[in-house]
Amino acid sequence: MKKKVYIVSHSHWDREWYMPYEQHHMRLIELMDDLLELFETDPSFKSFHLDGQTIILDDYLQVRPEKRAAIQKAIDEGKLQIGPFYILQDDFLISSESNTRNMLIGMEESKKWGTPVALGYFPDTFGNMGQTPQMMLQAGLESAAYGRGVKPIGFDNEVLADDNFTSQYSEMFWEGPDGSKIFGLLFANWYSNGNEIPVDEGEATIFWQQKLADVEKFGSTNHYLMMNGVDHQPVQKDISAAIRTANKLFPEYEFIHAGFTEYLEAVQQELPEDIGTITGELTSQETDGWYTLANTASSRVYLKQWNTRVSRQLENISEPLAAMAYEVTGSYDHDMLDYAWKTLMQNHPHDSICGCSLDEVHREMMPRFEKADEVGKFVADEAVRQLTQAMDTSMFPENSKPFVIFNTVGLERSGTATVEIELERKTFKEGIPVKLYQELKERPSKSYHVVNQEGQPVKAVISTEEVLFDYELPKDAFRIPFMKRFVTVTVEISDMAEFSWEALALVEGEAQGNNKRIISENGRVLENEQVKVVVTENGSLSISDKQTGKTLENLLVFEDVGDIANEYIFKQPEGDQAILSTAFPHSVEILENTEIVGRILLTQTLEVPKSADDLLEEEQKAVIDFRYRKAQRSKELVPFTIQTIITLDRQNKHVAFETTIDNQVKDHRLRALFPTGIHVDTHEADSIYEAVTRPNQVSSHWENPTNPQHQHAFANLHDDSFGVTISNFGLNEYEIIEDTIALTLIRCTGELGDWGWFPTPEAQCQGQHTFTYGIECHGAQETRYETYKHAQSLQVPFITKQLEHQTGTLAATHQFLAVDGEAFAITALKRRKADNQLVLRGYSLSSDPSDLVIQKDNCGLELLNLLEEQQEQGIAEQLQPYEIRTVGFKEEN
């Protein structure tokens, strides 16, 4: 039987990278024009794989809307192979839900046109998430193709015994942490191994002799895949002639023009018994460590912060509120939310969210973030308006000012919420604005306090009265501008149930308080019943956990080092010594000190080199590999001020940090160090539908002096009796150094890197930046899940709104649904597009089975997959290890 070579025509399409988006866009138009012409003129041209992303169709039709019928014809005839995703994302740097929405929307868009290719397609993702097998199976995909994360040993196909992620073949099985298993296809010779195939017999002989030898090194069967294309590659128009030449020259092979479906069916029928199985995350941990590209997690950190902000807005605020409001209005605006999601996901391709493109590319990302965020806010505001208009507040005194607090996350929470309470307004119809302003300013100030529905006092801090301009936009009338007199209320929240709301009211009169405050010792001590925080003599912190009796020292030490690499990779100059904040003076200032919250400002001014020396630019221009650069940091030192607000509230163990810098330094990295005193072999971090366990030590092949890792909300070190969780907001890079969790705040470089010299001065991140993160200790290891879910919930604020005095159909305090599961982390509460069914999604943080109870009045439960399709099996009583569970609520009569 002849060996068979499957030639798949494609073009890996980065929407934006080393050229601005529209430059790539216009080249896409040319590619699609050529394809449509080729489909008509060459009947032997079987098909073209459209890179697994349906957004390409939108991008093309945006410029060539008249080609819609031609596109549909090509898809109907199987010439254009589409889907299953919306974009090709970087899966580690976007949220769990973003990865799912990419499939949900991608599948929906694909099915509008035809049948998507049944292949999870990750050709150039910078590492691959460990839950991919479970996610693919829950989307009806039994295979995945990827280009990174697994290293075959090429010379003799030998698998080294100490390698965790190694396959002797380009074909393998991939098993997730929950036991899900799919077929995995590695582009062992990259996704360009069949690019630009010669037609000339002499050239083709040389080409195929090498290419066939290369592919046979790793092929487990006599079916070989040749990818005819590469990044932004124009279609090879003479591919049919090139295939005829190959068949003539190599009669022992059969060369065919094919799609992935044919290849996958054929190769899986003949897999050998010794096919390997890889497990979990694929992050090239067995390599020398230089090209894992994990440092993209800290490149242009402002992008990551914005991505987290918009993700939390859509996932944890807009959709839950809209899902709740549906029970009042019977409507849920899927179109608005889809528009927001699509706009956000346009920033999720690997070269975009990873921050490893030209300045023009990342400049264009900012309006997308802002647009998606504003749509999310609009949806949330409308939902709050609809809910609050139906709430009954008649139990509060007539002269009080009621307001409501929403907890939109799936966790019972304590903390503080802030609401602005309007005391009085003067519309512009009542007079000249300046006179209205003065009239309100001259009102005598009053004292206020907060009460609950039973009239009992609630701890709160109330600001002095202020006057400002505002406006209202009625749904059925013209805008109403006015001046308002108002106060800002910070109210203490105690054990507020998940997915609930509670109404309180501001009333006149003095509050009953006590003299106990959070802060003492002139700002150097913050203390509540659970923790004590001390600013020590060198400006670091010590934190004592009263539950465990443990005290941690030398926390929150800032470390600054040089970086002479690029947007992809960090490289410290040879001999460079870290500059630590503890070597410089500091000051402490009390910002707020009440019985419910304490806030101090810690200011430290370091002296650091202003940039790398002049040699770096010469080495960049010469395209010298960053590993071999000799540049050092400049001898000129400049002041570098770090200001950190440290916050502790009365009820929580969590200590919050908000660090602000005005960065005028280049070519450097700033981290916050948290030594834990915990010496263990592994740690855990927040990843995609997984609290992933990772080794603290690198493999024997690792040469990179650092071992950067990806995270979302937290990283944790723990032993049997004690642990430390470091939370963050949009700070996706950390490193474990012995017992220390090192959190990257900012990394500043001046070039793109990769295959040439592309200056990126805006990647130096000059200007003001603010970073939010925190620390929380726990006891026995089974209690760590509470700190994990707390870290996730801290990314979402309480939502507040002033109410009117009114009667209504909704109770002023209500829990929408209840979730009782210690190890269950919730990622979504939304409505299904097909029928507006309520959908709840989450995953197990644990490697052990755990209890899970989900309840909603008058509703039964049914199991859904990630595409939110009903499954035949029912809801299991226990949540299985690492399980991703999507639940639909069906109304019961």
Side-chain angles (χ1 to χ4, degrees):
M1 181 181 292
K2 288 186 177 182
K3 298 177 180 179
K4 203 163 186 178
V5 180
Y6 300 77
I7 298 170
V8 175
S9 290
H10 78 109
S11 184
H12 176 59
W13 205 265
D14 303 299
R15 290 185 84 235
E16 49 197 13
W17 181 23
Y18 57 85
M19 293 185 294
Y21 166 68
E22 291 298 348
Q23 286 286 342
H24 286 299
H25 189 188
M26 294 305 107
R27 285 165 173 78
L28 173 66
I29 305 308
E30 293 180 336
L31 168 67
M32 295 295 292
D33 286 346
D34 288 344
L35 279 173
L36 293 177
E37 180 181 356
L38 189 60
F39 294 157
E40 296 297 324
T41 58
D42 183 1
S44 298
F45 191 96
K46 179 176 177 57
S47 65
F48 188 90
H49 185 255
L50 205 59
D51 204 36
Q53 48 178 326
T54 62
I55 196 172
I56 289 177
L57 299 173
D58 295 340
D59 291 344
Y60 180 62
L61 293 173
Q62 185 180 26
V63 177
R64 299 266 198 262
E66 73 280 4
K67 295 291 188 179
R68 178 173 290 274
I71 290 289
Q72 186 66 68
K73 179 174 182 287
I75 294 172
D76 291 344
E77 294 176 352
K79 297 287 188 180
L80 205 54
Q81 300 283 306
I82 62 168
F85 300 152
Y86 180 63
I87 50 94
L88 291 189
Q89 81 278 33
D90 182 272
D91 50 44
F92 276 123
L93 286 179
I94 67 173
S95 70
S96 299
E97 278 302 310
S98 293
N99 277 284
T100 291
R101 303 314 169 88
N102 188 36
M103 292 195 297
L104 258 174
I105 291 177
M107 284 287 196
E108 180 186 356
E109 292 293 307
S110 297
K111 290 174 183 177
K112 288 178 182 177
W113 291 98
T115 302
V117 177
L119 175 67
Y121 198 58
F122 306 92
D124 199 18
T125 308
F126 298 168
N128 291 280
M129 53 197 173
Q131 286 279 37
T132 301
Q134 185 179 180
M135 294 176 66
M136 293 304 101
L137 290 178
Q138 286 206 25
L141 304 174
E142 298 182 353
S143 304
Y146 38 90
R148 299 181 188 269
V150 180
K151 182 184 177 185
I153 306 303
F155 297 107
D156 54 8
N157 285 346
E158 178 181 282
V159 180
L160 300 182
D162 61 347
D163 280 348
N164 291 323
F165 305 125
T166 299
S167 169
Q168 67 269 42
Y169 300 125
S170 51
E171 299 83 32
M172 63 203 74
F173 292 113
W174 185 2
E175 185 174 330
D178 72 313
S180 296
K181 185 180 287 189
I182 61 174
F183 176 70
L185 172 63
L186 172 70
F187 295 125
N189 300 293
W190 208 229
Y191 52 74
S192 58
N193 64 332
N195 192 35
E196 297 183 342
I197 301 173
V199 175
D200 176 81
E201 291 187 6
E203 294 176 0
T205 299
I206 297 171
F207 176 91
W208 283 115
Q209 285 175 342
Q210 182 64 55
K211 294 294 184 178
L212 291 171
D214 289 342
V215 76
E216 288 182 352
K217 282 181 185 177
F218 307 117
S220 64
T221 72
N222 288 329
H223 299 277
Y224 303 116
L225 178 66
M226 303 300 295
M227 298 292 288
N228 177 231
V230 72
D231 301 353
H232 313 110
Q233 178 77 6
V235 61
Q236 182 173 344
K237 296 180 180 180
D238 59 0
I239 188 66
S240 298
I243 291 173
R244 289 192 291 269
T245 298
N247 279 312
K248 177 182 178 181
L249 293 174
F250 297 87
E252 67 273 29
Y253 295 85
E254 180 185 1
F255 298 83
I256 64 169
H257 201 220
F260 272 109
T261 301
E262 295 165 79
Y263 167 74
L264 290 170
E265 289 177 353
V267 73
Q268 290 184 72
Q269 290 178 1
E270 298 185 15
L271 294 175
E273 292 185 1
D274 65 341
I275 197 78
T277 298
I278 56 173
T279 58
E281 292 183 338
L282 309 183
T283 55
S284 299
Q285 290 297 301
E286 80 289 350
T287 67
D288 63 12
W290 282 117
Y291 288 97
T292 65
L293 308 186
N295 287 124
T296 55
S298 58
S299 184
R300 301 180 189 260
V301 70
Y302 60 91
L303 298 176
K304 282 68 171 177
Q305 293 172 304
W306 259 104
N307 184 62
T308 302
R309 181 184 308 169
V310 183
S311 299
R312 297 289 74 74
Q313 176 67 52
L314 296 180
E315 298 168 25
N316 304 114
I317 300 174
S318 303
E319 288 183 339
L321 286 169
M324 295 176 188
Y326 176 84
E327 297 195 352
V328 173
T329 65
S331 65
Y332 183 94
D333 205 316
H334 295 280
D335 293 337
M336 284 187 183
L337 287 165
D338 279 356
Y339 171 66
W341 272 110
K342 286 182 176 180
T343 304
L344 173 61
M345 286 193 291
Q346 288 171 28
N347 283 344
H348 287 171
H350 47 269
D351 295 309
S352 302
I353 192 59
C354 286
C356 55
S357 296
L358 292 183
D359 289 341
E360 293 91 335
V361 166
H362 300 301
R363 222 177 289 144
E364 187 164 356
M365 289 174 65
M366 297 308 294
R368 296 180 198 142
F369 281 133
E370 292 167 348
K371 288 165 66 175
D373 193 41
E374 292 302 329
V375 175
K377 289 177 181 176
F378 180 87
V379 171
D381 290 346
E382 283 295 289
V384 168
R385 181 184 63 81
Q386 293 157 354
L387 287 164
T388 54
Q389 284 180 345
M391 287 182 186
D392 185 357
T393 61
S394 58
M395 75 291 298
F396 290 112
E398 188 63 33
N399 61 347
S400 68
K401 301 292 183 180
F403 61 93
V404 66
I405 301 167
F406 292 91
N407 177 15
T408 59
V409 301
L411 180 69
E412 181 182 271
R413 301 172 70 186
S414 298
T416 60
T418 301
V419 60
E420 188 178 279
I421 300 298
E422 180 185 311
L423 303 172
E424 182 182 5
R425 73 168 57 175
K426 293 287 185 178
T427 67
F428 282 14
K429 291 193 300 184
E430 299 177 60
I432 300 172
V434 65
K435 291 185 177 180
L436 300 176
Y437 178 85
Q438 289 299 328
E439 183 179 345
L440 292 176
K441 285 284 284 187
E442 292 169 1
R443 293 276 197 270
S445 296
K446 298 179 181 179
S447 296
Y448 304 93
H449 63 277
V450 175
V451 297
N452 62 19
Q453 292 170 63
E454 289 74 40
Q456 298 169 333
V458 176
K459 293 182 183 299
V461 176
I462 299 154
S463 73
T464 57
E465 297 177 9
E466 299 179 70
V467 178
L468 278 177
F469 163 81
D470 205 345
Y471 64 92
E472 186 178 320
L473 296 176
K475 288 295 182 181
D476 55 357
F478 192 51
R479 63 177 182 255
I480 303 172
F482 56 85
M483 292 295 178
K484 65 180 180 181
R485 185 169 61 93
F486 67 97
V487 293
T488 301
V489 178
T490 301
V491 62
E492 184 176 79
I493 307 299
S494 300
D495 302 324
M496 188 173 185
E498 67 278 6
F499 300 123
S500 69
W501 63 78
E502 179 181 2
L504 304 170
L506 184 72
V507 297
E508 292 185 15
E510 292 285 349
Q512 294 179 348
N514 59 53
N515 295 322
K516 188 174 182 180
R517 298 290 184 262
I518 300 290
I519 299 171
S520 62
E521 302 294 331
N522 295 318
R524 303 193 75 86
V525 175
L526 299 90
E527 186 173 8
N528 62 21
E529 293 183 358
Q530 302 183 74
V531 294
K532 181 179 181 180
V533 183
V534 178
V535 182
T536 67
E537 292 182 357
N538 65 8
S540 67
L541 303 185
S542 74
I543 295 182
S544 299
D545 182 73
K546 297 181 180 181
Q547 178 187 3
T548 63
K550 296 276 190 178
T551 296
L552 302 179
E553 305 284 355
N554 295 312
L555 301 172
L556 195 67
V557 174
F558 296 101
E559 170 207 76
D560 192 83
V561 299
D563 187 350
I564 57 171
N566 53 53
E567 291 182 317
Y568 292 94
I569 303 169
F570 165 80
K571 174 65 166 66
Q572 193 171 351
E574 294 179 11
D576 181 43
Q577 296 297 309
I579 299 169
L580 302 179
S581 57
T582 48
F584 299 88
H586 69 278
S587 64
V588 175
E589 176 187 351
I590 298 174
L591 299 180
E592 181 179 4
N593 190 15
T594 70
E595 62 177 309
I596 68 171
V597 67
R599 299 165 65 240
I600 64 170
L601 177 65
L602 173 65
T603 301
Q604 297 152 298
T605 300
L606 290 59
E607 293 288 330
V608 303
K610 69 172 185 177
S611 65
D613 61 24
D614 293 339
L615 178 59
L616 178 59
E617 185 173 356
E618 288 300 310
E619 291 177 324
Q620 290 172 339
K621 289 178 178 178
V623 196
I624 293 175
D625 188 301
F626 67 90
R627 293 173 296 175
Y628 310 119
R629 290 175 181 173
K630 302 300 181 185
Q632 295 290 310
R633 301 192 80 176
S634 170
K635 302 298 183 185
E636 182 181 345
L637 301 181
V638 297
F640 185 69
T641 299
I642 302 172
Q643 293 190 304
T644 302
I645 297 173
I646 303 171
T647 302
L648 180 67
D649 69 44
R650 189 178 70 92
Q651 300 188 99
N652 284 309
K653 296 176 67 174
H654 180 266
V655 184
F657 309 114
E658 184 181 280
T659 296
T660 298
I661 61 171
D662 183 4
N663 183 50
Q664 302 302 324
V665 178
K666 300 179 180 179
D667 310 311
H668 75 126
R669 181 190 68 188
L670 178 68
R671 300 198 295 192
L673 308 181
F674 295 91
T676 65
I678 302 169
H679 295 271
V680 289
D681 294 330
T682 63
H683 68 279
E684 292 181 340
D686 189 20
S687 191
I688 307 305
Y689 290 120
E690 181 181 11
V692 63
T693 300
R694 292 173 177 149
N696 295 345
Q697 300 300 318
V698 295
S699 73
S700 59
H701 309 291
W702 200 268
E703 297 176 6
N704 187 341
T706 67
N707 183 25
Q709 303 283 352
H710 294 91
Q711 68 172 343
H712 280 276
F714 62 81
N716 169 276
L717 276 171
H718 68 270
D719 57 25
D720 290 341
S721 61
F722 180 68
V724 177
T725 298
I726 301 299
S727 61
N728 78 87
F729 186 94
L731 304 174
N732 294 118
E733 180 183 286
Y734 73 97
E735 184 179 5
I736 303 297
I737 308 168
E738 297 181 352
D739 72 328
T740 297
I741 301 174
L743 176 67
T744 303
L745 302 185
I746 196 167
R747 190 171 70 85
C748 307
T749 57
E751 68 164 348
L752 188 156
D754 207 310
W755 58 276
W757 185 49
F758 300 94
T760 56
E762 292 174 22
Q764 295 284 9
C765 298
Q766 302 289 276
Q768 184 166 303
H769 298 267
T770 298
F771 315 105
T772 303
Y773 51 108
I775 184 171
E776 184 171 345
C777 302
H778 62 83
Q781 61 176 334
E782 60 268 20
T783 66
R784 69 191 186 277
Y785 302 127
E786 182 180 356
T787 70
Y788 293 178
K789 293 198 288 185
H790 197 190
Q792 293 169 337
S793 69
L794 284 167
Q795 294 189 341
V796 185
F798 290 104
I799 305 303
T800 59
K801 177 72 172 178
Q802 186 170 354
L803 301 172
E804 299 291 334
H805 272 283
Q806 61 192 26
T807 58
T809 58
L810 285 184
T813 294
H814 177 65
Q815 184 171 11
F816 183 73
L817 65 86
V819 182
D820 184 6
E822 182 182 71
F824 189 56
I826 294 171
T827 61
L829 179 66
K830 61 186 290 290
R831 295 280 170 177
R832 182 166 65 180
K833 195 168 188 178
D835 56 5
N836 286 322
Q837 181 186 40
L838 184 66
V839 172
L840 178 78
R841 183 163 35 251
Y843 65 99
S844 173
L845 294 161
S846 177
S847 58
D848 298 312
S850 58
D851 293 331
L852 175 62
V853 178
I854 301 171
Q855 294 178 309
K856 188 177 189 317
D857 292 343
N858 303 317
C859 283
L861 305 179
E862 58 186 20
L863 185 66
L864 310 178
N865 63 13
L866 280 182
L867 298 183
E868 299 172 6
E869 301 162 334
Q870 185 175 353
Q871 303 300 287
E872 292 183 3
Q873 64 268 40
I875 302 284
E877 290 185 4
Q878 279 198 314
L879 188 67
Q880 294 305 303
Y882 303 106
E883 179 187 351
I884 304 169
R885 182 174 290 188
T886 306
V887 175
F889 295 79
K890 52 183 179 181
E891 292 188 8
E892 296 180 337
N893 296 327

